[in-house]
Amino acid sequence: MLLMGLDIGTQGVRAVVTTENGDILAAHSVGFEILNCSLREGGYEQEPEVWWRAACRVLKSCQQELEKKPGIDTRIAALSIDGTSATVLPLDHKNQPLSPALMYNDTRAKEEAERIRRAGAGLEKKMGYQFHPSFALPKILWMKEHRPRIHEKTARYVHQADYLVGKLCGIYHVTDYSNALKTGYDLVEEKWPDFFTELGLDTALFPEVLPPGRIIKKISPQTAEELGLNPEMLIVSGATDGYTSALAAGAVKPGDWASIIGTTMVLKGVTQKLFLPPGAGTYSHKLPSGAWMLGGAANIGGRCLNDAFPKEEFEERNTHVKEVIPTGVISYPLHGKGERFPFADDQAEGFLMGDIRDENVHYAALMEGVAYAERFAFEQMEALGAEVGSTVYTTGGVCRSQEWLQIRASVLNRNLRVPRIVDAAMGCAMLAAAGTCYDTLEEASEHMIQIRQEVPPVPELIRKYEELYQKAKEEYQKRFRTGGGL
């Protein structure tokens, strides 16, 4: 059985077609023609037809790629879609867009977010997050207040993934748990909350909410014919891009944690119960099983190497890392000012203590600094009561460095497991599988996640890094408001 995941990102569309065992048979990506059509200073908007045109090209290309492969059934059985979190679009009664979409990174709705925080304080307390201007609900309230003529004509507000689902199968009135979260959906009671009335928002404007991985409908016959796709293909509810990235990385069952470190660091882990951390930068998604995916995103991450060294030097400097570690240098290599996770401190600034005159020492010390921050983040999660197992799934650009993986495994004193295929679209394919050929998402993950590498801690480094990490932790507590976050 062939399964497709369609990832609608900030800059374009990517799709993968996999077997039920996670083998990739086709993949394609197409960039958007225009990334921001907003005429408002600081605004971020995109035309939804740009998404659809790119998606059509990707879908056709994947199908054509499959048809070149001899001896396989080229019919795609099921498709699931992810989109950027908190991107919203008003549709009229004919499901036509009334304006460009307000993107996830548009923060114009600052005043509206404050109003929602006052009205929705009970939901914030229940869910353990705070409404931010970038959330979808403040932007919808902004449309009501600042674009009243558009709001009056709006039949429903949809998310990015919802719109693409509608284009494929004609159903525009459904969304999923993860897209609904930043629109204010109460994931505990599974309903749109009563305080919407206080804001003057009719809950009829908001979609029906399904768990990710549920069959919505077959692709429409006309769309299947136009795109050359299987007319029996099922459209399955998807999620946000961050959610599906975590699924692809391995965060599926309680105790599973994914540490995704690229430019920045994101931790997502599955917990049996909903934890309510005091920090503003964390929140929990709900999984189809009813378990929760607790997550936080830091400003620290792999960018620290780019700030200090030319990228073309990385490969050569990696060869010297083992010669100089542990460096003894203590650092928090933060880019810019302010941190959101694993502590919330808008005045936080990076620091470095130690001798870095040797550039190879400096290079390795930055790697160690990120590893110390990663361990601190995991300890904060455990302090909440969350279970973190002896193995952590990990993805992101820093995994290209074997030396960095060994440092991190040794600082964490945990095995690091690197999946072979790490792609938000792959997470969507897993949801498509969970809705069709497997009974649960957990079962789909067992069959589809393929591990490229497992990295154990280095025994002779564990004790040395334990001492250095404790020094780093003391410095965090001296310099940062570590009690204000997780």
Side-chain angles (χ1 to χ4, degrees):
M1 181 180 286
L2 299 188
L3 307 150
M4 176 180 275
L6 190 66
D7 169 38
I8 317 297
T10 305
Q11 301 185 48
V13 176
R14 175 167 170 77
V16 298
V17 180
T18 82
T19 67
E20 64 267 36
N21 293 320
D23 296 319
I24 302 290
L25 296 184
H28 199 74
S29 60
V30 169
F32 294 142
E33 305 142 23
I34 300 173
L35 297 182
N36 186 6
C37 65
S38 178
L39 301 177
R40 177 188 178 90
E41 185 177 355
Y44 292 93
E45 302 176 14
Q46 286 182 352
E47 291 287 355
E49 288 309 304
V50 171
W51 306 337
W52 178 238
R53 284 195 294 271
C56 288
R57 288 175 59 192
V58 166
L59 291 166
K60 287 179 179 178
S61 295
C62 283
Q63 186 63 54
Q64 290 165 1
E65 187 177 344
L66 288 174
E67 289 167 0
K68 294 176 183 177
K69 297 180 184 294
I72 66 166
D73 183 347
T74 62
R75 292 173 296 178
I76 300 169
L79 164 78
S80 185
I81 305 172
D82 76 55
T84 51
S85 175
T87 293
V88 290
L89 175 69
L91 300 181
D92 66 16
H93 289 276
K94 295 183 179 179
N95 296 312
Q96 296 300 307
L98 290 166
S99 78
L102 299 187
M103 296 300 291
Y104 70 97
N105 53 349
D106 190 301
T107 57
R108 69 184 68 185
K110 293 180 174 64
E111 293 180 8
E112 288 74 18
E114 287 302 314
R115 283 181 56 194
I116 291 168
R117 290 206 64 205
R118 291 192 293 271
L123 181 64
E124 286 190 336
K125 185 177 180 180
K126 182 191 291 185
M127 289 298 303
Y129 64 61
Q130 293 178 4
F131 282 99
H132 186 270
S134 65
F135 276 28
L137 186 60
K139 285 182 282 207
I140 290 171
L141 186 58
W142 185 93
M143 290 291 289
K144 175 182 177 292
E145 301 296 334
H146 297 271
R147 299 290 185 268
R149 280 190 269 186
I150 290 175
H151 181 76
E152 288 166 8
K153 295 177 182 177
T154 299
R156 62 180 54 90
Y157 285 98
V158 301
H159 307 96
Q160 189 175 37
D162 309 340
Y163 181 71
L164 272 293
V165 165
K167 294 291 283 185
L168 285 168
C169 70
I171 301 294
Y172 289 86
H173 63 273
V174 298
T175 192
D176 63 86
Y177 285 165
S178 66
N179 273 294
L181 181 141
K182 292 183 180 179
T183 314
Y185 187 70
D186 184 337
L187 285 167
V188 175
E189 298 187 31
E190 297 196 2
K191 68 173 189 174
W192 294 108
D194 296 336
F195 74 82
F196 280 23
T197 304
E198 183 181 335
L199 300 170
L201 294 172
D202 185 349
T203 55
L205 295 172
F206 296 82
E208 176 187 350
V209 182
L210 301 176
R214 292 289 174 89
I215 295 172
I216 298 172
K217 192 181 179 182
K218 287 181 185 177
I219 189 171
S220 70
Q222 180 181 352
T223 303
E225 184 176 357
E226 289 174 357
L227 300 179
L229 297 171
N230 174 19
E232 299 299 311
M233 182 171 73
L234 297 169
I235 308 302
V236 176
S237 57
T240 62
D241 51 358
Y243 188 109
T244 56
S245 293
L247 297 183
V252 177
K253 303 184 297 297
D256 288 345
W257 283 85
S259 181
I260 305 160
I261 310 182
T263 302
T264 58
M265 177 178 70
V266 176
L267 260 59
K268 288 187 181 290
V270 182
T271 62
Q272 196 63 56
K273 73 171 194 173
L274 174 62
F275 288 99
L276 304 177
T282 57
Y283 51 85
S284 290
H285 281 295
K286 192 172 187 177
L287 289 165
S289 64
W292 297 89
M293 185 191 292
L294 174 64
N299 293 331
I300 196 172
R303 184 172 185 169
C304 63
L305 290 188
N306 295 33
D307 289 345
F309 295 93
K311 197 169 185 178
E312 56 268 22
E313 292 184 9
F314 289 2
E315 188 173 348
E316 167 62 21
R317 293 203 181 278
N318 280 336
T319 65
H320 298 286
V321 167
K322 290 182 181 178
E323 302 167 7
V324 298
I325 60 172
T327 66
V329 175
I330 303 297
S331 71
Y332 195 88
L334 178 65
H335 177 89
K337 188 175 183 179
E339 184 56 283
R340 49 190 174 154
F341 175 80
F343 53 85
D345 186 346
D346 58 7
Q347 298 302 308
E349 293 183 300
F351 70 88
L352 188 150
M353 299 167 53
D355 186 350
I356 56 167
R357 287 174 292 182
D358 182 332
E359 290 191 335
N360 290 328
V361 169
H362 185 191
Y363 183 85
L366 295 175
M367 291 179 164
E368 292 172 333
V370 173
Y372 298 148
E374 183 181 15
R375 175 165 169 181
F376 186 70
F378 276 118
E379 287 188 359
Q380 299 294 79
M381 297 293 191
E382 289 178 307
L384 280 175
E387 175 191 352
V388 182
S390 60
T391 296
V392 171
Y393 292 92
T394 187
T395 66
V398 305
C399 294
R400 296 189 187 100
S401 169
Q402 183 67 26
E403 293 76 19
W404 207 339
L405 283 167
Q406 289 184 339
I407 288 172
R408 291 171 55 211
S410 302
V411 171
L412 294 174
N413 195 12
R414 287 183 164 94
N415 294 319
L416 295 181
R417 192 171 285 175
V418 186
R420 187 170 70 84
I421 301 162
V422 182
D423 195 312
M426 183 64 184
C428 278
M430 290 167 57
L431 289 173
T436 53
C437 57
Y438 295 114
D439 292 332
T440 64
L441 178 60
E442 293 86 345
E443 188 181 357
S445 74
E446 288 173 6
H447 288 85
M448 298 179 73
I449 293 178
Q450 301 176 2
I451 301 303
R452 170 172 64 86
Q453 180 184 16
E454 187 147 351
V455 183
V458 179
E460 57 267 30
L461 292 178
I462 294 172
R463 182 184 57 78
K464 296 175 183 177
Y465 273 135
E466 177 65 31
E467 295 175 4
L468 290 166
Y469 168 70
Q470 294 303 329
K471 292 180 181 178
K473 186 175 176 180
E474 289 173 10
E475 286 299 320
Y476 298 168
Q477 293 166 338
K478 287 178 187 175
R479 295 168 180 263
F480 306 134
R481 295 200 301 270
T482 55
L486 267 175

